[in-house]
Amino acid sequence: MLHKVSRSFGLVIQQLDTDLRNAVCIFYLVLRALDTVEDDTSIPTDVKVPILIAFHKHIYERDWHFACGSKEYKVLMDEFHHVSKAFLELEKGYQEAIEDITKRMGAGMAKFICKEVETSDDYDEYCHYVAGLVGLGLSKLFHASGSEDLALDSLSNSMGLFLQKTNIIRDYLEDINEIPKSRMFWPREIWSKYVNKLEDLKYEENSVKAVECLNDMVTNALTHVEDCLKYMAALRDPSIFRFCAIPQIMAIGTLALCYNNIEVFRGVVKMRRGLTAKVIDRTKTMADVYGAFYDFACMMKPKKL
Ligand code: IN0
């Protein structure tokens, strides 16, 4: 199932030790299921909110079921009993970490169902619920496995925010073109400096403003880099290190590709498969991470006008 709902993530997870691998895999699928409920625009708010808030209880119910989502996510929801069953077989320490994060994330998602992302603080708060908490949860799982010290919450949070903000930037066009209209996560406080409506960024006559706004968003995401490097530098276990470092390098690579690039407003901007393969193959030590971050940062520098 993990291989169906994610592309490269399934590969990176496989190299973790068995116990931690199972816990992370279940955590990932629980979060994907929660996300599927949040994303499904066909569910009325009064139905959706109670499900989000009670999701952490449903994972303990062997035959809980809620049909929603489409394609591979529909399969995940239909077959969710396998996820609960596997969850119930995890050690208590892992279960409690997953339950706690699912509870806080569900409540945060419910809060934002009817709330727009206006300010940069709203943006950080929303990203905290959907991604920063994933960082906190993973840090707890790593600690519970006995392989790592417990990381600071602020650093764990930044790891998630950096990945999520990169996705939000990269997915502008896909999200704005979605029918029925999906919610947008670019904060008004940033885009309103450049255009009157967020969708104006995709029109050709606004190309100059669009790229300026994009660069503002990329610069905002880059504020988390220092924390991310600190977090990764403190990891001891080589497989946990690779598990964390590969998505981070993919993120800074994606930001470098997006920076000053009007194509973000025209189509899909993604790192080429060959480059992804190189990142997965060549990320082993902190020196590799510093090297990759340096190289991608250098790609952004000359692009500055
Ligand atoms: C993740 C993160 C993730 C991995 C490793 C360490 C992390 C530390 C803190 C926070 C998150 C961490 O990684 C995945 C990566 C992923 O799913 N990539 C997609 C590619 C894509 O284009 O979407 C793939 O198909 O391979 C991630 O993006 N998220 C995530 C979710 C759950 C877990 Cl357990 C770990 C999602 C998110 C919202 C960014 C946290």
Side-chain angles (χ1 to χ4, degrees):
M1 193 72 239
L2 188 64
H3 289 295
K4 287 194 188 126
V5 295
S6 83
R7 296 179 316 138
S8 54
F9 193 62
L11 287 173
V12 210
I13 233 176
Q14 279 190 72
Q15 42 102 44
L16 294 169
D17 282 345
T18 318
D19 284 3
L20 180 60
R21 179 173 63 210
N22 289 335
V24 172
C25 175
I26 298 307
F27 186 38
Y28 186 86
L29 292 175
V30 167
L31 298 177
R32 273 286 155 134
L34 185 61
D35 221 45
T36 304
V37 176
E38 188 208 18
D39 276 355
D40 189 327
T41 44
S42 72
I43 310 170
T45 305
D46 61 322
V47 177
K48 188 184 282 194
V49 167
I51 297 175
L52 293 175
I53 290 173
F55 208 84
H56 65 107
K57 291 187 183 141
H58 299 319
I59 55 183
Y60 286 95
E61 299 164 21
R62 213 169 270 274
D63 40 34
W64 178 81
H65 178 252
F66 183 76
C68 65
S70 61
K71 289 181 265 172
E72 58 271 35
Y73 302 103
K74 181 175 168 26
V75 180
L76 172 64
M77 298 312 290
D78 285 340
E79 308 278 301
F80 195 75
H81 60 278
H82 294 301
V83 180
S84 330
K85 182 172 182 291
F87 171 79
L88 291 165
E89 288 172 30
L90 295 174
E91 282 172 38
K92 210 75 228 107
Y94 291 133
Q95 284 183 357
E96 281 166 3
I98 295 172
E99 179 189 356
D100 172 58
I101 298 302
T102 305
K103 184 177 177 179
R104 292 159 68 183
M105 191 182 294
M109 284 172 165
K111 176 175 174 184
F112 270 89
I113 290 284
C114 302
K115 185 172 145 75
E116 294 243 358
V117 178
E118 297 280 348
T119 65
S120 307
D121 285 344
D122 292 343
Y123 184 45
D124 282 12
E125 192 192 358
Y126 176 74
C127 291
H128 165 72
Y129 294 134
V130 301
L133 285 172
V134 178
L136 270 65
L138 283 173
S139 295
K140 268 198 198 168
L141 298 181
F142 300 159
H143 183 62
S145 79
S147 307
E148 300 287 350
D149 295 335
L150 184 60
L152 285 174
D153 283 355
S154 60
L155 300 185
S156 305
N157 186 54
S158 292
M159 290 286 285
L161 261 60
F162 187 58
L163 299 180
Q164 180 65 5
K165 288 184 173 183
T166 301
N167 291 340
I168 287 173
I169 294 167
R170 182 198 61 192
D171 296 337
Y172 168 85
L173 193 67
E174 197 186 306
D175 291 344
I176 204 106
N177 286 341
E178 207 171 298
I179 305 166
K181 255 189 166 15
S182 76
R183 283 171 315 135
M184 291 303 294
F185 304 108
W186 287 40
R188 176 187 299 273
E189 191 179 307
I190 294 183
W191 61 255
S192 63
K193 290 191 264 172
Y194 306 95
V195 281
N196 294 320
K197 287 196 310 252
L198 181 56
E199 66 196 58
D200 291 347
L201 292 173
K202 72 174 172 179
Y203 303 121
E204 215 166 299
E205 65 264 32
N206 299 324
S207 293
V208 173
K209 289 286 173 206
V211 168
E212 287 171 1
C213 181
L214 172 63
N215 294 349
D216 205 337
M217 290 289 288
V218 172
T219 305
N220 172 289
L222 289 172
T223 61
H224 303 291
V225 164
E226 193 174 340
D227 277 358
C228 294
L229 292 172
K230 272 189 199 153
Y231 180 96
M232 289 184 278
L235 295 170
R236 302 164 197 259
D237 180 278
S239 72
I240 293 177
F241 174 79
R242 277 170 45 79
F243 171 78
C244 292
I246 291 167
Q248 293 290 322
I249 297 179
M250 301 287 292
I252 190 143
T254 302
L255 289 180
L257 210 58
C258 290
Y259 194 76
N260 230 17
N261 186 354
I262 191 67
E263 287 306 311
V264 171
F265 303 99
R266 306 280 179 266
V268 214
V269 175
K270 270 202 177 132
M271 275 174 53
R272 303 197 36 228
R273 289 182 92 81
L275 188 51
T276 305
K278 274 186 190 163
V279 170
I280 294 175
D281 184 55
R282 297 181 187 174
T283 304
K284 302 215 159 61
T285 68
M286 200 55 208
D288 300 330
V289 172
Y290 289 134
F293 271 72
Y294 180 79
D295 291 344
F296 286 125
C298 289
M299 284 173 59
M300 288 185 251
K301 192 176 179 196
K303 281 206 210 166
K304 215 165 177 179
L305 301 171

